[in-house]
C-alpha cells in the first residue's frame, strides 16, 4: 500500500503532524492513520511517498518512503478510500473506490476496487492516460474524472525527478 502526493506549486511544502492528517475509510467508518515521518518536505513540482512500510518495491527496485504508517493500519482495497486533511480536519484531497460513496469521496467514486499490482493515479489533464510525466495535478474535485487505473506501479518519492504540470486545472 502506498499513497503518492504531488506538489504542483513553485514552492516546497512542509508537512507534519501539526498541519497534515492521513485518513482512510472502510465502509462508513472514517479513521486517522498515524504517520512516522522520515522526511517532511514535498519539493516544488515534486513527489512525496507515504507507504505501509519504509520502502515500496513494484518489482523494479525499492523506492524509499518519505513517511510510513504503522503496520496495523491499512487502507482498505474494497469499499475504501483515502484522504488528506489539515490538522483542523478540512479536506485537502480525497479518493474513494469500489463505487462506494464515503467521507473520502469527491464527486463520483471510482467504480473498481484498488487491485493488487495496480494503482489509481491522478491524471495530468482531463482524459489523459496514466502513467504520465506531465505532473499529475488535475483536480476537478471529482474522483471519476481526476484519477485513472494504472496497470504499472511507479511509486515516486521526494528524490524522484520533478515534473511540470502540463494542462488542465492544476488543483481544486
Amino acid at each position: 500500500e502506498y499513497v503518492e502526493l504531488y506538489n504542483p506549486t513553485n514552492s516546497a511544502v512542509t508537512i507534519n503532524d501539526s498541519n497534515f492528517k492521513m485518513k482512510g475509510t472502510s465502509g462508513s467508518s472514517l479513521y486517522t492513520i498515524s504517520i512516522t515521518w522520515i522526511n517532511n518536505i514535498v519539493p516544488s513540482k515534486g513527489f512525496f511517498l507515504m507507504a505501509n512500510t519504509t520502502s515500496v518495491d513494484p518489482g523494479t527496485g525499492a523506492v524509499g518512503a518519505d513517511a510510513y504508517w504503522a503496520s496495523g493500519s491499512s487502507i482498505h482495497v474494497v469499499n475504501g478510500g483515502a484522504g488528506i486533511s489539515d490538522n483542523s480536519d478540512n479536506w485537502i484531497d480525497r479518493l474513494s473506490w469500489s463505487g462506494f460513496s464515503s467521507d473520502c469521496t469527491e464527486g463520483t467514486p471510482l467504480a473498481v476496487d484498488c487491485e493488487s499490482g495496480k494503482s489509481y493515479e491522478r491524471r495530468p489533464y482531463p482524459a489523459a492516460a496514466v502513467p504520465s510525466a506531465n505532473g499529475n495535478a488535475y483536480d476537478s474535485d471529482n474522483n471519476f474524472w481526476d484519477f485513472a487505473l494504472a496497470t504499472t506501479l511507479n511509486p515516486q518519492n521526494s528524490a524522484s525527478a520533478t515534473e511540470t504540470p502540463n494542462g488542465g486545472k492544476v488543483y481544486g
Side-chain angles (χ1 to χ4, degrees):
E1 294 181 338
Y2 69 91
V3 173
E4 182 183 287
L5 306 178
Y6 174 71
N7 174 9
T9 71
N10 291 323
S11 300
V13 175
T14 300
I15 57 176
N16 54 47
D17 288 336
S18 69
N19 67 358
F20 179 91
K21 287 183 184 176
M22 175 79 182
K23 298 184 176 197
T25 60
S26 174
S28 60
S29 300
L30 179 68
Y31 53 91
T32 299
I33 299 170
S34 179
I35 301 294
T36 299
W37 304 94
I38 298 169
N39 171 31
N40 68 339
I41 306 292
V42 187
S44 167
K45 297 180 178 48
F47 298 91
F48 190 90
L49 185 63
M50 304 175 75
N52 63 345
T53 61
T54 57
S55 66
V56 176
D57 189 346
T60 57
V63 179
D66 293 301
Y68 62 94
W69 56 85
S71 59
S73 298
S74 179
I75 297 174
H76 294 268
V77 295
V78 177
N79 291 340
I84 54 174
S85 73
D86 64 19
N87 210 38
S88 298
D89 291 324
N90 297 306
W91 287 110
I92 297 168
D93 204 6
R94 50 196 169 156
L95 167 67
S96 66
W97 49 85
S98 303
F100 183 75
S101 185
S102 73
D103 287 333
C104 287
T105 302
E106 286 185 337
T108 304
L110 297 169
V112 179
D113 291 338
C114 195
E115 303 171 34
S116 179
K118 298 180 182 177
S119 69
Y120 279 117
E121 186 169 325
R122 183 176 293 281
R123 298 175 192 271
Y125 49 88
V130 295
S132 168
N134 292 312
N136 303 51
Y138 182 69
D139 190 353
S140 69
D141 292 331
N142 188 318
N143 294 161
F144 180 80
W145 296 111
D146 296 347
F147 292 87
L149 188 63
T151 57
T152 303
L153 296 179
N154 182 31
Q156 297 170 92
N157 64 13
S158 59
S160 298
T162 60
E163 296 179 2
T164 301
N166 184 11
K169 179 180 172 187
V170 173
Y171 45 87

